[in-house]
């Protein structure tokens, strides 16, 4: 306040003296000579103009970033990187290739070189798997152009990176698709046909929203750091500029009307100073129904009440829709003006998807009467529902404990652990403390050394279901769809639920994401712990984790955490090579690994088909290494897929 | 999701209608007030177009430039033949056009197009109208209390008061 005290006192003194002189002009004659009065006026006028210019170039306070509650965070669509490479291919890249005949590694590769390298690798893989060509033979067929009947596709590998340009490409403001890009598109289509997949049209493209990596993909979904925050909207600053310039201009021109217009600005700026943009509000929220089935709609009714003693002239409210849910009708935002004790309700509907969804704290923007300052803060929900539960139910909807089995079976697979069983496994050197009953006396008599007999343990195998929640695994068929790790969490629960019903000890964990772990065991409480872990957002969040996870480190951590007898089921979209590395490293470490892979590629476009082919090759690579892979379209609930597999 | 992409695309019809309507009406009022002075009408026409462009393109820069053009037009028309009362009355719609247009832009940015906004728009417009009336009224009363020709020293002191209050209220 002390910063404002001096100008306020000066202003009061000046307006008092000025008013007195206006009322009694004869007083001014003897006080100061006319020239001094003129100098004072000019000096203050110049100061006003300088102040106004300074205000004009003064930057506004940074805007508070408000959340976007209507939709999920944006996720990467498989094929986006390839689509961007196609878009970025230009004549500049052609010139760079012209300058150097071969890429020597000293410069960054141009987009067309990167397209060629990735498609060449993909084509060699595809020809190897479909026609049985060895890599060298496949490369020769590609270079010879006799791998396909499509001449445009064949030319991509046969004619190099510098096909002749159409004349239109040299015209200004005209950007036709370059021949290298057209050929690349045809090559992808032909490779998809050879692989037996649905081939897209060569000119099909990802929709623009899916090719841009928005800040939502990296930013926080519900940014509330730094709240509450009061900021100026910039209105006072601009009003000050107008006031200063109008006053100075009016005095210099001798136009009292122009000076009078400054009173508007002073009134607006003064009002902004007097009224604080604050208010006490409470909020209640009801959900109908609170536990919906996946795909159904949930009606959300929010009531906001002014519990303070002052009127709130301008309230803007954003309800905290959980990150996993999308609004299908209505709006989770509202505006209102509330007198003390009054309230207002609004309604919107959400589409339910599996998970335990906790609502974020609603955000309110309170503005003053003049709209000059606003306070952004979170609002507490004092009553009603704060979370929504959908899916992740017991098989058949039966919440009771599984029936006791009359003859417990050890399971379908061997535990792979030796110890004090009945079925002979091996003989090892005696260790002090081994029971005398397991010493092989025949061995002692024959060799002269003590040896201990190992039997196969009749223990049931333990299973760990691991969800791939690395940053790279956050892909979706469309940028606003459910991301692969959340499909993976639902599938992981279905698998764990089935195994627990079969009496198999199951644990669950994640790679990346929340890096949570539930140790393998059995029991109803354990089932609830697994459900809580996978349905909530702590283990598999809806927003991609910020730091990238090294797949080799993750595999080593998992191996160290799991015992050698634990069978691992990895749920991964396999949309990057690191996912394959993770799984193969687990297998190489001696774990029994199998894979469930939700297919989040959309091969209806060239870029999507390229990603689809890449993923198919990854699946084939794993199968070649004797790792069972179950490919799964997430549009079908995994429980149905599992039921069909069991029936067959 | 196409429907979301459509929602995010700025649409001329997406602005809160009442505030945008008040802003346009204020621009038309200014055009009507300065219509008798050709030079001022030219400034006002350019300013009005810039305000409309600012609303359509969501550009605060165009909006501020347009309102500046309107203000220059009013000063131009007012200093020629208009009385101080006329100048005061003609400036009020200029300020109202700017304030309501900015309010419309901010509402659209923060709330979008689907939520109801009429209540806060009405409260804001009435509040600003009251403030402008009160501020202008006080200024006019001070002006009317002056008898005779004001001395240069009195004008200088009033200018100093305006500058000091502006600095204090920033």
């Amino acid at each position: 306040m002390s910063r404002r005290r001096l100008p306020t006192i000066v202003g009061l003194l000046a307006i008092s003296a000025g008013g007195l002189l206006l009322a009694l002009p004869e007083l001014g004659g003897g006080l100061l000579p006319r020239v001094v009065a003129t100098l004072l006026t000019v000096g203050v006028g110049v100061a006003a103009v300088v102040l106004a210019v300074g205000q004009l170039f003064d930057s506004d306070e940074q805007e508070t970033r408000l959340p976007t509650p209507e939709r999920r965070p944006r996720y990467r669509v498989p094929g986006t990187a390839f689509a961007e490479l196609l878009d970025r291919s230009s004549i500049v890249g052609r010139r760079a290739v012209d300058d150097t005949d071969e890429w020597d590694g000293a410069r960054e590769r141009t987009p067309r070189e990167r397209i060629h390298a990735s498609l060449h690798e993909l084509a060699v893989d595809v020809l190897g798997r479909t026609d049985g060509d060895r890599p060298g033979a496949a490369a020769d067929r590609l270079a010879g152009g006799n791998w396909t009947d499509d001449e445009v596709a064949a030319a991509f590998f046969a004619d190099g990176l510098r096909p002749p340009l159409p004349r239109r490409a040299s015209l200004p403001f005209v950007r036709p698709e370059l021949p290298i890009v057209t050929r690349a598109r045809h090559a992808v289509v032909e490779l998809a046909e050879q692989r037996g997949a649905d081939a897209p049209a060569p000119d099909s493209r990802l929709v623009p929203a899916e090719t841009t990596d928005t800040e939502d993909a990296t930013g926080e979904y519900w940014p509330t750091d730094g709240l509450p925050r009061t900021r100026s909207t910039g209105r006072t600053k601009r009003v000050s500029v107008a006031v200063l310039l109008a006053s100075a201009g009016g005095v210099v021109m001798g136009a009292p009307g122009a000076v009078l217009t400054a009173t508007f600005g002073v009134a607006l700026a003064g009002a902004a100073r007097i009224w604080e943009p604050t208010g006490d509000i409470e909020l209640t929220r009801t959900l109908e129904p609170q536990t919906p089935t996946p795909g159904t709609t949930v009606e959300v009714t929010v009531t906001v009440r002014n519990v303070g003693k002052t009127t709130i002239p301008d309230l803007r409210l954003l309800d905290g829709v959980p990150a996993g849910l999308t609004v299908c009708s209505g709006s989770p935002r509202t505006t209102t003006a509330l007198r003390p004790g009054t309230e207002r309700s609004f309604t919107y509907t959400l589409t339910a998807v599996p998970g335990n969804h906790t609502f974020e704290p609603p955000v309110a923007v309170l503005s003053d009467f003049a709209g000059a300052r606003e306070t952004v803060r979170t609002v507490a929900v004092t009553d009603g529902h704060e979370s929504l539960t959908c899916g992740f139910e017991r098989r058949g909807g039966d919440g009771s404990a599984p029936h006791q089995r009359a003859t417990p079976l050890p399971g379908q697979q061997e535990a792979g652990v030796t110890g004090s069983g009945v079925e002979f496994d091996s003989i090892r050197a005696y260790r002090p403390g081994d029971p005398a009953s397991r010493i092989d006396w025949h061995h002692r008599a024959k060799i002269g050394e003590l040896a201990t007999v190992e039997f196969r343990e009749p223990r049931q195998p333990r299973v760990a279901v691991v969800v791939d929640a690395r940053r790279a695994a956050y892909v979706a068929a469309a940028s606003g769809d459910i991301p692969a790790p959340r499909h993976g969490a639902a599938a992981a629960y279905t698998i764990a639920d089935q195994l627990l019903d079969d009496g198999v000890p199951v644990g669950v964990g994640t790679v990346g994401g929340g890096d949570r772990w539930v140790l393998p065991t059995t029991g109803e409480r354990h089932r609830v712990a697994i459900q809580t872990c996978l349905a909530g957002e702590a283990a598999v969040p809806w927003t991609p984790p910020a730091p990238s996870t090294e797949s080799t480190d993750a595999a080593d951590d998992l191996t160290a955490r799991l015992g050698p007898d634990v069978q691992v089921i990895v749920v991964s979209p396999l949309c990057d090579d690191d996912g394959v590395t993770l799984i193969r490293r687990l297998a190489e470490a001696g774990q029994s690994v199998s894979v469930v892979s939700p297919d989040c590629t959309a091969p209806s476009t060239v870029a999507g088909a390229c990603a689809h082919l890449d993923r198919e090759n990854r699946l084939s690579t794993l199968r070649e290494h004797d790792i069972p892979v179950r490919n799964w379209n997430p549009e079908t609930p995994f429980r149905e897929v599992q039921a069909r597999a069991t029936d067959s | 999701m196409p429907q979301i992409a459509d929602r995010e695309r700025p649409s001329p019809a997406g602005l809160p209608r009442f505030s945008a309507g008040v802003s346009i009406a204020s621009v038309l009022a200014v055009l009507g007030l300065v219509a008798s002075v050709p030079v001022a009408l030219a400034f006002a026409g350019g300013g009005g177009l810039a305000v409309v462009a600012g609303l359509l393109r969501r550009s605060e820069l165009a909006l501020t430039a347009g309102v500046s053009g309107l203000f220059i037009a009013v000063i131009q028309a007012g200093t020629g033949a208009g009385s101080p009362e006329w100048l005061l009355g003609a400036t009020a719609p200029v300020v109202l056009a700017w304030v309501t247009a900015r309010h419309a832009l901010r509402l659209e940015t923060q709330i979008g197009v689907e939520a109801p906004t009429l209540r806060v728009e009405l409260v804001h417009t009435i509040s600003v109208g009251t403030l402008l009336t009160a501020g202008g009224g006080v200024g006019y009363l001070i002006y009317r209390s002056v008898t005779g020709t004001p001395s240069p020293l009195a004008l200088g002191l009033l200018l100093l008061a305006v500058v000091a209050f502006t600095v204090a209220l920033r």
Side-chain angles (χ1 to χ4, degrees):
Chain A
M1 278 316 265
S2 59
R3 191 170 60 86
R4 297 199 189 98
R5 191 173 296 160
L6 182 63
T8 307
I9 292 169
V10 171
L12 287 172
L13 288 174
I15 200 167
S16 305
L20 198 63
L21 286 175
L22 285 174
L24 304 165
E26 60 276 11
L27 285 178
L31 282 178
L32 283 171
R34 191 178 179 83
V35 65
V36 176
T38 308
L39 281 175
L40 172 72
T41 307
V42 171
V44 177
V46 169
V49 172
V50 169
L51 270 172
V53 172
Q55 292 255 7
L56 205 58
F57 289 101
D58 194 14
S59 58
D60 283 347
E61 285 183 61
Q62 194 181 5
E63 193 92 24
T64 307
R65 187 190 153 219
L66 295 179
T68 310
E70 286 85 1
R71 57 169 170 76
R72 296 189 187 96
R74 295 283 175 86
Y75 305 108
R76 188 171 60 88
V77 175
T80 305
F82 186 75
E84 285 174 353
L85 279 179
L86 291 178
D87 289 344
R88 284 172 47 204
S89 293
S90 64
I91 300 175
V92 179
R94 178 189 164 86
R95 287 178 192 137
V97 177
D98 284 342
D99 293 342
T100 48
D101 285 341
E102 294 291 334
W103 180 65
D104 55 8
R107 62 176 171 81
E108 190 182 351
R109 280 203 266 188
T110 61
R112 66 178 61 206
E113 286 168 325
R114 290 165 65 187
I115 292 169
H116 190 274
S118 64
L119 282 188
H120 193 272
E121 189 182 345
L122 180 68
V124 168
D125 259 1
V126 169
L127 294 181
R129 294 184 202 286
T130 54
D131 299 347
D133 289 346
R134 290 182 174 280
D140 289 343
R141 281 182 66 194
L142 292 171
N146 54 357
W147 62 281
T148 174
D149 296 332
D150 185 334
E151 292 179 0
V152 182
F156 179 77
F157 297 110
D159 289 359
L161 295 171
R162 287 168 290 180
L165 285 176
R167 289 187 178 176
R168 284 192 306 139
S170 307
L171 296 173
F173 310 115
V174 178
R175 199 164 173 247
E177 184 170 270
L178 298 178
I180 190 81
V181 176
T182 309
R183 290 177 179 185
R185 291 182 179 282
H186 279 259
V188 172
V189 172
E190 283 304 302
L191 288 170
E193 279 182 0
Q194 296 230 352
R195 198 73 164 85
D198 292 335
D203 57 350
S204 54
R205 288 170 167 78
L206 290 176
V207 294
E210 293 172 356
T211 57
T212 51
D213 192 12
T214 60
E215 66 175 38
D216 294 342
T218 52
E220 198 181 351
Y221 169 70
W222 204 258
T224 51
D225 288 345
L227 301 184
R229 180 183 176 219
T230 301
R231 66 177 285 275
S232 163
T233 60
R235 183 175 290 182
T236 312
K237 193 184 81 175
R238 288 166 181 79
V239 161
S240 302
V241 171
V243 165
L244 291 167
L245 290 178
S247 308
V251 170
V252 170
M253 290 186 298
V259 183
L260 273 181
T261 60
T263 56
F264 290 131
V266 174
L268 285 175
R273 188 53 60 192
I274 290 167
W275 281 295
E276 287 287 328
T278 56
D280 291 328
I281 51 175
E282 279 182 1
L283 198 134
T284 57
R285 182 194 298 117
T286 55
L287 307 177
E288 185 56 41
Q290 202 190 350
T291 52
T293 52
T296 57
T297 57
V298 181
E299 189 174 90
V300 185
T301 304
V302 180
T303 303
V304 58
R305 168 180 276 266
N306 181 359
V307 293
K309 292 178 179 173
T310 55
T311 296
I312 299 170
D314 190 338
L315 169 66
R316 302 162 198 192
L317 188 76
L318 285 74
D319 194 22
V321 179
L325 301 176
T326 52
V327 177
C328 59
S329 70
S331 175
R333 310 179 191 226
T334 195
T335 64
T336 189
L338 292 173
R339 288 192 302 277
T342 56
E343 64 181 30
R344 185 185 181 281
S345 297
F346 63 100
T347 301
Y348 60 94
T349 53
L350 301 168
T351 305
V353 295
N356 286 349
H357 305 277
T358 305
F359 278 75
E360 304 286 349
V363 171
V365 182
L366 298 127
S367 194
D368 60 22
F369 277 98
R373 288 197 300 161
E374 63 184 22
T375 299
V376 184
R377 67 181 180 89
T378 56
V379 184
V381 178
T382 53
D383 196 15
H385 304 130
E386 293 204 55
S387 67
L388 182 149
T389 304
C390 174
F392 287 86
E393 292 162 344
R394 285 286 313 272
R395 201 158 51 126
D398 180 9
S400 61
H403 298 294
Q404 188 70 37
R405 296 214 270 175
T407 53
L409 298 173
Q412 294 179 329
Q413 296 186 47
E414 299 291 341
V417 175
T418 57
S420 56
V422 291
E423 190 182 346
F424 175 79
D425 184 77
S426 57
I427 293 176
R428 63 165 171 79
Y430 174 79
R431 290 184 210 132
D434 282 348
S437 62
R438 284 172 54 194
I439 294 174
D440 187 350
W441 296 107
H442 292 292
H443 190 271
R444 163 75 173 162
K446 202 184 294 179
I447 309 293
E449 292 175 359
L450 284 174
T452 304
V453 179
E454 288 280 8
F455 298 95
R456 286 185 186 171
E457 286 264 17
R459 191 196 302 174
Q460 287 180 328
R462 294 187 297 159
V463 177
V465 188
V466 177
V467 180
D468 182 0
R470 295 170 301 117
R471 183 172 181 76
Y474 275 80
V475 292
S479 62
D481 275 1
I482 298 172
R486 288 304 311 182
H487 284 307
Y493 176 72
T494 306
I495 294 166
D497 188 41
Q498 166 84 55
L499 290 170
L500 285 172
D501 277 354
D502 292 345
V504 179
V506 186
V508 294
T510 59
V511 176
D515 207 15
R516 297 298 170 101
W517 192 249
V518 180
L519 290 171
T521 182
T522 56
E524 205 53 34
R525 288 176 67 183
H526 180 64
R527 191 193 304 266
V528 174
I530 287 178
Q531 185 198 41
T532 307
C533 174
L534 291 173
E537 295 181 31
V540 186
W542 283 89
T543 46
S548 57
T549 310
E550 285 292 330
S551 55
T552 50
D553 294 346
D556 292 346
D557 285 350
L558 272 175
T559 310
R561 202 190 297 252
L562 303 168
D565 62 324
V566 177
Q567 298 167 16
V568 184
I569 301 172
V570 179
V571 187
S572 170
L574 293 175
C575 279
D576 69 321
D577 290 335
D578 282 353
V580 178
T581 307
L582 169 78
I583 294 159
R584 288 189 59 190
R585 197 164 173 101
L586 279 173
E588 286 163 5
Q591 305 286 162
S592 168
V593 186
S594 56
V595 179
V596 171
S597 182
D599 183 3
C600 289
T601 59
S604 55
T605 62
V606 167
C610 187
H612 183 74
L613 287 172
D614 275 333
R615 181 176 172 278
E616 288 285 319
N617 284 345
R618 290 187 196 106
L619 263 60
S620 299
T621 302
L622 291 176
R623 286 176 179 136
E624 284 165 7
H625 287 84
D626 294 328
I627 297 170
V629 181
R630 177 175 289 178
N631 192 15
W632 158 54
N633 180 356
E635 286 180 9
T636 311
F638 190 72
R639 200 177 290 282
E640 288 178 22
V641 177
Q642 206 176 29
R644 280 204 295 269
T646 308
D647 293 344
S648 61
Chain B
M1 301 190 61
Q3 66 273 34
I4 283 171
D6 290 347
R7 185 187 299 156
E8 287 167 352
R9 202 171 296 132
S11 128
L15 280 175
R17 288 181 190 171
F18 183 77
S19 293
V22 170
S23 184
I24 299 293
S26 302
V27 169
L28 293 175
V30 174
L31 283 170
L33 285 167
V34 302
S36 56
V37 184
V39 179
L41 185 63
F43 271 113
L49 287 176
V51 169
V52 173
L55 285 172
L56 292 177
R57 301 189 63 83
R58 277 61 166 169
S59 166
E60 284 219 16
L61 185 66
L63 204 62
T64 306
V67 171
S68 302
L70 292 175
F71 188 50
I72 290 169
V74 168
I75 296 285
Q76 167 73 28
T79 50
S83 62
E85 293 89 338
W86 182 91
L87 197 57
L88 205 58
T91 306
V94 175
V95 180
L96 195 62
W98 180 68
V99 167
T100 51
R102 267 177 64 91
H103 192 243
L105 292 188
R106 284 199 69 73
L107 269 179
E108 194 203 21
T109 306
Q110 293 183 334
I111 296 301
V113 297
E114 290 188 23
T117 54
L118 182 61
R119 190 176 167 89
V120 287
E121 288 179 80
L122 274 169
V123 170
H124 178 260
T125 307
I126 291 169
S127 303
V128 170
T130 308
L131 281 173
L132 294 181
T133 308
V138 169
Y140 182 67
L141 285 178
I142 292 172
Y143 170 75
R144 290 292 294 174
S145 67
V146 177
T147 53
T149 307
S151 74
L153 182 58
L155 279 179
L157 285 170
L158 285 181
L159 179 60
L160 178 62
V162 167
V163 172
F165 283 135
T166 307
V167 170
L169 291 171
R170 274 192 303 176

